[in-house]
Amino acid sequence: MAMDVYTLKFYKRAADFIADLDKEIEELEESVKTLGAEVDQLKAAAEKYAKLHALLKKFGPGEGGQTTIEVTGLGIYIDPNPLARYDIYSQSYAHMLDVLSVLKKVRAVAYTVISEGGLESTPIAVQYKQGIPVKLIIA
């Protein structure tokens, strides 16, 4: 069961929050671009591996060939096969795209409120849930 993680961050100026959001979006866009290229490369290898694995299964049961260790909820994969890597990478890629989309929407709304409200120099607090801004507190 996943637990929601809430944090609160204080900004001396609302404009600083927008700047932080812009930086986070930019970094995530770069990560998504890099991971997307990895996922594309892994897809072909994963498909070849799956075909070969299915073919070899016809000849009898074999070893998985993969070592996975879990320590306090952290899965450690030692030399995972291409299919396992593809699954992990593509799952992360899809999640990162979702987060990027949400951050861009949050940024658009927050920017409009802050700029049209003339709040650039106003101190604010921002509540984050799972790293996503969910509440903007203007005092």
Side-chain angles (χ1 to χ4, degrees), residues 3 12 37 49 82 94 108 120 136:
M3 184 176 79
K12 290 182 179 179
Y49 177 85
E120 292 88 354
L136 194 65

Side-chain angles (χ1 to χ4, degrees), residues 38-113:
E38 282 285 321
V39 168
D40 286 345
Q41 284 184 345
L42 275 173
K43 186 175 184 178
E47 288 170 351
K48 284 181 188 174
Y49 177 85
K51 284 180 187 175
L52 182 59
H53 190 68
L55 180 64
L56 291 175
K57 266 187 152 180
K58 290 180 182 179
F59 297 105
E63 290 293 314
Q66 174 176 309
T67 304
T68 305
I69 303 165
E70 190 164 321
V71 182
T72 63
L74 176 65
I76 301 169
Y77 290 74
I78 300 168
D79 199 20
N81 65 56
L83 200 51
R85 277 187 56 202
Y86 176 74
D87 287 345
I88 293 167
Y89 284 28
S90 60
Q91 179 185 36
S92 297
Y93 180 69
H95 177 73
M96 290 166 68
L97 284 174
D98 288 346
V99 169
L100 186 58
S101 173
V102 169
L103 287 178
K104 285 181 175 182
K105 290 174 186 170
V106 166
R107 194 249 183 239
V109 171
Y111 179 78
T112 300
V113 168

Side-chain angles (χ1 to χ4, degrees), residues 5 19 29 43 59 84-85 106 115 117 121 134:
V5 177
E29 283 176 333
K43 186 175 184 178
F59 297 105
R85 277 187 56 202
V106 166
S115 65
S121 298
V134 291

Side-chain angles (χ1 to χ4, degrees), residues 123-135:
I124 64 167
V126 180
Q127 183 185 52
Y128 291 81
K129 178 180 177 182
Q130 313 293 90
I132 307 267
V134 291
K135 293 181 183 165

